[in-house]
Amino acid sequence: MGSFKFFRFLSFRTQFDFLPSSNPVHEDLVKGGSSNTNHRHRNGSFLNSIFGFLRRFKSRAKTDGGSKTEEEEKVYSWLYALARSERSLCFEYVRSTERGLSFTEAERRLKENGPNIPLEYTFPSSWHLLWNAFFHPFNIILIVLSALSYITSDNPNGCIMLVLVFISVSLRFYQEYSSSKAAMQLSEYVRCPVKVQRCAGRVVQTELIVQVDQRDVVPGDIVIFEPGDLFPGDVRLLTSKHLVVSQSSLTGESWPTEKTADVREDRSTPLLELKNICFMGTNVVSGIGTGLVVSTGSKTYISTIFSTIGKHKPADSFEKGIRQISYVLVGVMLVVVTIMILVEYFTFYDLSESTLFGISVACALTPQMLPLIINASLAKGALAMARERCIVKSLSAIRDMGCMDILCIDKTGTLTMNRAIMVNHLDSWGAPREKVLHFAFLNSYFKTDQKYPLDDAILAYVYTNGFRFQPSKWRKIDEIPFDFIRRRVSVILETESDPEGRYSQRFHRLMITKGALEEVMKVCSHVEHVDRGEITAFSAEHHHRIINVVEELSNEGLRVIGVAIKNLQQTLQESSEQNMENEDVVEFDMVFLGVIAFFDPPKDSAKQALWQLAEKGVKAKVLTGDSLSLAIKICQEIGIRTIHVTTGPELEQLDLDEFHERVKKATVLARLTPSQKLRVVQSLQTDGDHVVGFLGDGINDSLALDAANVGISVDSAASVAKDLADIILLEKDLNVLVAGVEQGRLTFGNTMKYIKLSVIANLGSVLSLFIATLVLRFEPLTPKQLLVQNFLYSVGQIVIPWDKMEEDYVQIPQKWSTKGLPMFILWNSPVCTLCDVATILFVWFYYSSGNKLSSTFFRSAYFIEGLLMQTLIYHLIRTEKIPFITEIASWPVVASTVLIAAIGIAIPFSILGDFMGFTDLPLSYFGFLVVLFIGYFTVGQVVKRIYIMVYKKWF
């Protein structure tokens, strides 16, 4: 992956000299910003490169998920200090004035701080990616063995190993090259014009409004913004009028938030809820204002969100296990091969032949097909996922899904349908009233400015429930459209009959208003009691009762809007004189009717899918930026337990241990910021040692998607989220994940089969070769025979990815066992060696003549026995049941076993046998092999059962 370079952090030393030294926030800023870290970085870059190279041989350190990074702490402290301060003091903090910066000073700061880009992305070179793909223990082993094979004129074997390396490196290089572009999508936030107030003049300074590119905005600039503008940096508001800002890029919530300059915040307010701070990457929905830019570039809040994207994740247990096996095999290889070369040399005094035999033994010990088997298994899993309408970007994600035991889900659009459904219509006392629905329907039916999902929900509710409100009897006169300042919409309708029966006029005119509850109540002076037919003054008691009703609805996860009406006592002739330009004149003295409640329902497939995942040992946790009550309601609907819940502000108050404990227990975590989602995922990975999947689709999910073992997104997600995801769902259906978990466990299981097979068979056969060399005083197999045997054995293993797994295996998450695998190898390898030794003894005592044994005969017998042993051992270790009786492998594996065994038996009897130095074998030897393998499977099954009992009892 590429690397992210952060610009030098602002030095606050000079700008805070005047502040009291007792202020801890300012002291932290002084200490955090005054150190010159870039100088040390430049001086130590060469040493860092060397140590970085050496650290590749060690497992990467785990990331602590419970605490903020140093960069985050600096940004948080800086923004809170500005939010708590008077506006005049904020100018001092950033060394600016109320007239703005001069052009000369702005240019100097731009050179000092660099362009206003959230992150400077350095795209990795192809050579760098190629080196990363090449640097793998088994690739190095194969390259060395291939070179030695060419040196000793064993060209076919050297060519085969180079082809295997080429395939492995090519696959990994392609994956790395594709995924390295993820963070480039951050350029979406740059290259847009910004209105900035600057001052010019040497003697008399004049304030000028100029447009500059967002890249050229610097700390201390005063920006002027209006609807549609993006904030070019983190901004402390100076003035505001009806300012409404969308922070969906940071929080994931589609509903905008109000901002105001006329407030001083305190530290207890969550960062993203600060009213006087606007963040880079958010945009103005409505209203106008001015603001002081306090942070730009890599020092903004959004940069702390993306600062970890693209950094290497800690190696998981599978990767660590593969590396450990690699190092063990290398160590064993060096020792055994060296001894065998020396024994061979001091026996025959032929250095060339001894070296060639040693290389052949090293090839036999090396699991040459491991990279190919792993990638073939993952590719097969990816194709299976593609049939389920998934795009798999990272093949290793298939394997990780098999190990996944926790799935973190963002609620919006994943568990829910992401659309509103109307569920109730209540009056001020919380009782269902048709009149409330009637007038809400008329408002939605006649409004034409813009139809919102809530309007569609109201219309659908009326039509599907058989209400007949006869809109044809009404005629639209005018409309006051919705805006984010008033947050309500009004329509004026007229009918020939008075539905209330209280007016004598031929025509009755009515204004119907609906919108945000608090905004509707602001323009109401009366409340209607429908039962009594009375209209009373809107009192504090009424306000308190309505708020209580709404709180009960909110606790059930519902969202509400208010409905109000106003009778307009005018004749039809006066209607043409009605002026609607000033809505404040018309929208007042209204009668509050009640509220309409909406619900974003869970998907029909969500409950079933989560139940199936739970059956397979995958626990679900909901991580959302929405309110806690709404998240709890959704989780209760789909069957997720809500006994332990928490929120982002609560997590902020916890120390490290409490944080880990709260995250471990909680199933619903609401009001989370992007950074908090990241820390929750990291806490589960490090403190709980879980394999974590994360399903999200927003920019605010990008951190968690990048950090999770399996990042899952959807086709309609933000571009950054899709680029960082390992798997992209073409449909928002959690049932696809159930199939993915099963496929991942199948892939993991088949990969582990090969690892067990190759290590057990290779160690057993090499130990047998070593014993035979010492006993027989001649080569048990010539280098050519050994390589042909190894080649046939390797070809037979290609079908392993197409094997099946037992039903019990795919029901639980699978992990690399650091104790179980070595124990399994130590228990089973000796059984193979004993069978080989039994063959050596049988051939020696039964077929020798005068204590002399033909080397050609022995090699023919040993070649067939070794090949059959390595081929058949797979069927013993692939299952805990009795092979060929209670459990049979898939037909490709059985066919491959039969084919390779037949070829191995036929070679000594063919023309190729004479070329390779083989001879015909008597029928009695094959009778011995039948008895030998029956005994092997019997003893092996007993040893396997004992191992399982011991392991389950003690480990």
Side-chain angles (χ1 to χ4, degrees):
M1 298 294 291
S3 58
F4 294 89
K5 298 180 180 179
F6 291 93
F7 302 123
R8 181 163 54 89
F9 203 86
L10 282 172
S11 175
F12 300 109
R13 179 177 56 197
T14 56
Q15 63 202 51
F16 283 101
D17 283 344
F18 63 94
L19 295 172
S21 59
S22 60
N23 191 322
V25 174
H26 297 153
E27 287 181 1
D28 289 343
L29 289 172
V30 173
K31 294 176 182 177
S34 60
S35 59
N36 191 344
T37 58
N38 278 343
H39 180 70
R40 292 195 304 270
H41 174 72
R42 288 192 296 267
N43 290 342
S45 60
F46 179 72
L47 289 176
N48 290 337
S49 300
I50 294 176
F51 288 126
F53 174 81
L54 294 176
R55 279 194 298 268
R56 295 181 60 88
F57 292 92
K58 299 173 65 178
S59 61
R60 299 184 180 95
K62 293 182 178 180
T63 304
D64 181 14
S67 56
K68 301 187 187 76
T69 63
E70 184 179 352
E71 290 79 9
E72 285 181 296
E73 287 289 358
K74 290 180 180 179
V75 171
Y76 275 55
S77 298
W78 173 233
L79 293 177
Y80 272 115
L82 291 158
R84 298 166 61 183
S85 303
E86 293 283 357
R87 281 176 289 186
S88 58
L89 194 58
C90 294
F91 285 106
E92 297 289 340
Y93 285 179
V94 295
R95 292 172 293 169
S96 183
T97 66
E98 295 183 1
R99 293 187 301 273
L101 299 174
S102 66
F103 288 91
T104 303
E105 176 63 16
E107 184 177 354
R108 186 192 68 79
R109 294 191 182 191
L110 183 62
K111 291 180 179 179
E112 178 183 350
N113 297 301
N116 180 25
I117 306 174
L119 295 172
E120 183 182 0
Y121 185 72
T122 303
F123 192 76
S125 66
S126 299
W127 291 109
H128 178 73
L129 293 176
L130 187 61
W131 171 253
N132 285 340
F134 170 79
F135 196 90
H136 188 278
F138 280 116
N139 290 337
I140 301 300
I141 293 171
L142 292 176
I143 288 290
V144 171
L145 293 178
S146 176
L148 293 175
S149 297
Y150 279 112
I151 292 174
T152 54
S153 301
D154 187 13
N155 296 335
N157 190 50
C159 182
I160 290 173
M161 286 186 283
L162 284 180
V163 169
L164 294 176
V165 171
F166 175 77
I167 294 174
S168 176
V169 171
S170 298
L171 286 173
R172 187 175 177 187
F173 172 78
Y174 175 76
Q175 294 174 31
E176 290 287 335
Y177 184 80
S178 300
S179 61
S180 64
K181 300 178 182 179
M184 298 284 288
Q185 295 298 328
L186 293 177
S187 59
E188 294 176 359
Y189 292 118
V190 299
R191 294 195 177 282
C192 61
V194 179
K195 290 182 181 179
V196 176
Q197 177 178 305
R198 298 267 173 89
C199 58
R202 294 185 178 180
V203 180
V204 179
Q205 291 190 331
T206 305
E207 299 172 2
L208 301 175
I209 305 298
V210 296
Q211 275 197 344
V212 300
D213 189 90
Q214 179 169 334
R215 291 170 174 258
D216 299 329
V217 174
V218 297
D221 269 331
I222 297 176
V223 293
I224 298 95
F225 43 82
E226 55 190 22
D229 287 346
L230 279 172
F231 286 99
D234 290 343
V235 173
R236 168 61 159 89
L237 293 178
L238 300 176
T239 62
S240 62
K241 181 179 180 182
H242 304 303
L243 182 61
V244 179
V245 174
S246 172
Q247 297 187 154
S248 60
S249 60
L250 302 179
T251 64
E253 292 190 66
S254 58
W255 200 258
T257 182
E258 294 184 25
K259 298 283 185 176
T260 179
D262 302 323
V263 66
R264 289 179 63 184
E265 299 283 7
D266 56 52
R267 186 77 188 194
S268 62
T269 306
L271 184 70
L272 293 179
E273 296 179 16
L274 295 175
K275 294 293 185 182
N276 56 6
I277 298 291
C278 296
F279 301 92
M280 187 179 194
T282 62
N283 63 282
V284 180
V285 175
S286 64
I288 58 175
T290 61
L292 178 66
V293 178
V294 297
S295 300
T296 59
S298 62
K299 307 173 193 69
T300 56
Y301 174 74
I302 197 172
S303 291
T304 67
I305 294 180
F306 292 104
S307 61
T308 61
I309 288 179
K311 294 183 178 179
H312 290 289
K313 303 175 186 178
D316 58 26
S317 59
F318 185 88
E319 294 171 347
K320 292 178 182 177
I322 289 293
R323 291 188 178 274
Q324 290 171 356
I325 286 183
S326 304
Y327 300 145
V328 170
L329 288 180
V330 169
V332 172
M333 183 190 304
L334 292 175
V335 174
V336 173
V337 171
T338 301
I339 294 175
M340 296 189 73
I341 290 177
L342 292 175
V343 171
E344 182 82 5
Y345 174 74
F346 287 111
T347 302
F348 302 103
Y349 297 99
D350 187 343
L351 182 60
S352 176
E353 187 68 19
S354 301
T355 303
L356 182 59
F357 179 72
I359 294 174
S360 302
V361 172
C363 293
L365 185 60
T366 304
Q368 301 173 12
M369 302 297 290
L370 180 61
L372 187 60
I373 293 293
I374 291 176
N375 288 320
S377 298
L378 296 176
K380 176 180 175 293
L383 291 175
M385 291 288 288
R387 289 193 290 270
E388 300 288 342
R389 294 188 56 76
C390 292
I391 298 174
V392 180
K393 295 174 56 185
S394 174
L395 292 181
S396 61
I398 299 293
R399 181 196 68 228
D400 290 336
M401 285 197 74
C403 306
M404 183 177 70
D405 56 351
I406 288 183
L407 176 63
C408 299
I409 308 171
D410 176 38
K411 178 191 70 65
T412 307
T414 304
L415 297 177
T416 64
M417 295 182 180
N418 202 19
R419 62 184 177 90
I421 291 181
M422 182 183 156
V423 294
N424 221 331
H425 43 93
L426 309 174
D427 64 10
S428 303
W429 281 260
R433 298 299 175 193
E434 185 176 312
K435 184 175 182 179
V436 179
L437 177 62
H438 184 188
F439 287 108
F441 166 78
L442 292 176
N443 180 287
S444 297
Y445 183 88
F446 283 102
K447 63 170 290 194
T448 57
D449 180 62
Q450 184 177 359
K451 292 289 185 182
Y452 288 95
L454 299 185
D455 296 306
D456 296 332
I458 293 173
L459 297 177
Y461 183 87
V462 170
Y463 294 145
T464 56
N465 287 276
F467 292 99
R468 298 182 179 275
F469 292 139
Q470 298 179 323
S472 59
K473 292 185 177 182
W474 294 82
R475 182 169 64 92
K476 180 179 176 181
I477 302 300
D478 211 332
E479 176 179 349
I480 306 176
F482 179 88
D483 62 64
F484 281 98
I485 298 174
R486 294 165 39 256
R487 294 198 293 164
R488 57 182 181 262
V489 58
S490 297
V491 294
I492 294 183
L493 306 179
E494 190 177 65
T495 182
E496 293 187 2
S497 60
D498 177 12
E500 302 298 320
R502 294 197 296 265
Y503 302 101
S504 58
Q505 290 91 343
R506 179 183 175 189
F507 296 99
H508 174 64
R509 184 167 295 176
L510 194 69
M511 181 170 68
I512 308 172
T513 299
K514 78 174 191 302
L517 179 67
E518 59 272 21
E519 298 298 333
V520 171
M521 289 195 296
K522 282 182 183 178
V523 296
C524 290
S525 303
H526 305 86
V527 173
E528 180 168 355
H529 198 302
V530 180
D531 285 343
R532 301 177 185 174
E534 297 178 355
I535 296 177
T536 58
F538 195 101
S539 64
E541 181 183 351
H542 290 126
H543 184 275
H544 182 70
R545 184 180 61 252
I546 294 171
I547 294 299
N548 288 337
V549 170
V550 171
E551 282 184 356
E552 291 179 4
L553 295 174
S554 298
N555 291 335
E556 295 178 2
L558 304 179
R559 288 183 173 176
V560 299
I561 60 173
V563 181
I565 60 173
K566 180 179 181 181
N567 291 307
L568 303 179
Q569 301 300 316
Q570 295 166 320
T571 63
L572 180 62
Q573 290 76 13
E574 292 172 330
S575 63
S576 59
E577 301 175 5
Q578 179 69 32
N579 181 10
M580 297 293 295
E581 292 183 359
N582 189 353
E583 60 270 10
D584 292 336
V585 176
V586 183
E587 290 181 332
F588 79 101
D589 198 28
M590 302 191 71
V591 179
F592 187 83
L593 290 183
V595 297
I596 304 291
F598 301 89
F599 182 50
D600 184 6
K603 293 178 180 176
D604 296 333
S605 62
K607 186 172 184 177
Q608 178 186 4
L610 290 176
W611 178 75
Q612 292 179 344
L613 287 172
E615 275 196 328
K616 297 184 183 302
V618 180
K619 299 178 181 178
K621 290 180 181 286
V622 174
L623 277 59
T624 179
D626 284 335
S627 66
L628 180 60
S629 58
L630 185 59
I632 290 176
K633 174 65 176 177
I634 295 294
C635 291
Q636 289 174 341
E637 290 282 337
I638 60 177
I640 296 179
R641 292 184 178 181
T642 56
I643 299 175
H644 300 287
V645 299
T646 189
T647 63
E650 291 175 357
L651 292 177
E652 287 292 327
Q653 308 302 319
L654 304 177
D655 61 30
L656 185 59
D657 293 334
E658 291 174 337
F659 181 92
H660 289 317
E661 188 64 25
R662 182 72 62 86
V663 168
K664 178 182 177 181
K665 292 182 178 180
T667 54
V668 181
L669 299 96
R671 295 179 64 197
L672 297 181
T673 66
S675 298
Q676 288 171 335
K677 289 183 179 181
L678 167 67
R679 290 197 289 272
V680 168
V681 170
Q682 290 176 338
S683 174
L684 294 170
Q685 290 172 325
T686 56
D687 185 66
D689 196 26
H690 296 288
V691 177
V692 181
F694 186 90
L695 175 58
D697 58 1
I699 296 176
N700 60 308
D701 297 321
S702 300
L703 274 180
L705 282 170
D706 185 58
N709 300 94
V710 186
I712 309 166
S713 192
V714 293
D715 188 40
S716 58
S719 57
V720 174
K722 287 191 291 185
D723 283 334
L724 292 174
D726 302 307
I727 297 175
I728 298 177
L729 308 182
L730 299 182
E731 295 178 358
K732 291 184 177 181
D733 187 355
L734 290 182
N735 284 308
V736 177
L737 297 182
V738 179
V741 168
E742 294 177 348
Q743 191 63 45
R745 291 174 186 176
L746 177 64
T747 300
F748 184 87
N750 284 333
T751 304
M752 292 304 299
K753 288 177 187 177
Y754 172 76
I755 293 173
K756 292 177 180 178
L757 167 67
S758 59
V759 175
I760 291 173
N762 292 354
L763 284 177
S765 62
V766 168
L767 185 58
S768 303
L769 284 170
F770 179 66
I771 295 172
T773 303
L774 293 177
V775 173
L776 300 175
R777 309 297 292 175
F778 62 79
E779 294 176 348
L781 291 173
T782 65
K784 186 183 299 183
Q785 294 168 346
L786 190 58
L787 292 175
V788 169
Q789 184 190 66
N790 189 56
F791 175 75
L792 290 174
Y793 160 65
S794 298
V795 170
Q797 296 169 342
I798 293 177
V799 296
I800 289 178
W802 283 265
D803 195 9
K804 61 183 180 179
M805 295 298 303
E806 298 175 20
E807 186 66 26
D808 295 341
Y809 188 88
V810 297
Q811 294 302 316
I812 57 175
Q814 301 299 325
K815 289 187 179 182
W816 182 286
S817 176
T818 56
K819 295 180 179 179
L821 184 61
M823 283 187 60
F824 187 87
I825 294 170
L826 291 175
W827 277 71
N828 288 273
S829 291
V831 181
C832 299
T833 304
L834 288 175
C835 290
D836 290 340
V837 171
T839 302
I840 296 172
L841 294 176
F842 175 79
V843 174
W844 175 269
F845 289 106
Y846 194 79
Y847 294 107
S848 62
S849 176
N851 291 330
K852 290 185 179 180
L853 180 63
S854 169
S855 61
T856 303
F857 182 88
F858 178 84
R859 288 167 181 163
S860 302
Y862 194 70
F863 174 86
I864 293 177
E865 186 273 339
L867 180 60
L868 293 179
M869 172 63 68
Q870 291 179 329
T871 303
L872 293 175
I873 188 179
Y874 174 76
H875 294 272
L876 179 65
I877 67 172
R878 65 172 296 277
T879 177
E880 294 183 2
K881 300 177 181 178
I882 303 175
F884 300 113
I885 299 177
T886 59
E887 175 65 18
I888 302 176
S890 62
W891 72 263
V893 174
V894 174
S896 173
T897 301
V898 173
L899 179 62
I900 296 301
I903 292 175
I905 294 173
I907 285 179
F909 299 93
S910 64
I911 299 176
L912 186 61
D914 296 333
F915 171 75
M916 295 182 60
F918 290 137
T919 187
D920 294 345
L921 296 172
L923 188 61
S924 60
Y925 177 71
F926 292 99
F928 163 76
L929 289 181
V930 172
V931 175
L932 175 71
F933 287 121
I934 291 175
Y936 167 71
F937 277 102
T938 303
V939 175
Q941 189 69 18
V942 172
V943 170
K944 184 170 61 176
R945 299 307 303 176
I946 295 175
Y947 158 76
I948 292 173
M949 289 188 294
V950 171
Y951 181 77
K952 288 183 177 179
K953 182 176 181 180
W954 297 102
F955 298 97

